[in-house]
Amino acid sequence: MDGEQPLNTASLRVNFLRQFRTSPDGPESRYVGTPLRVGRSSGVAKAQAVGDDGKVAIIARLTAYLG
């Protein structure tokens, strides 16, 4: 983090929707991150874990601020 301020976590919420499985011989599971709001001193982001079957297994939402 060269010259950047660290982010402090204001809140983190994780919802486990179903079992998250990965198979060595099946299609790949993946993680998808999306910024929802990027401000000058705070931000909100969403992340999802998508299993081999293409279904979302885990959803997380993070709110962070500069500090």
Side-chain angles (χ1 to χ4, degrees):
M1 292 183 40
D2 195 26
E4 294 180 18
Q5 282 186 297
L7 291 174
N8 294 313
T9 301
S11 68
L12 174 64
R13 181 181 180 131
V14 180
N15 298 101
F16 297 91
L17 307 176
R18 63 182 33 103
Q19 194 172 30
F20 185 60
R21 294 185 173 193
T22 59
S23 171
D25 55 346
E28 291 187 19
S29 57
R30 66 186 188 281
Y31 299 91
V32 180
T34 307
L36 300 176
R37 181 189 182 282
V38 179
R40 293 187 333 187
S41 62
S42 66
V44 179
K46 177 176 82 170
Q48 296 180 335
V50 182
D52 289 349
D53 57 2
K55 295 180 181 178
V56 176
I58 303 168
I59 298 173
R61 185 175 291 221
L62 170 74
T63 302
Y65 62 92
L66 291 176

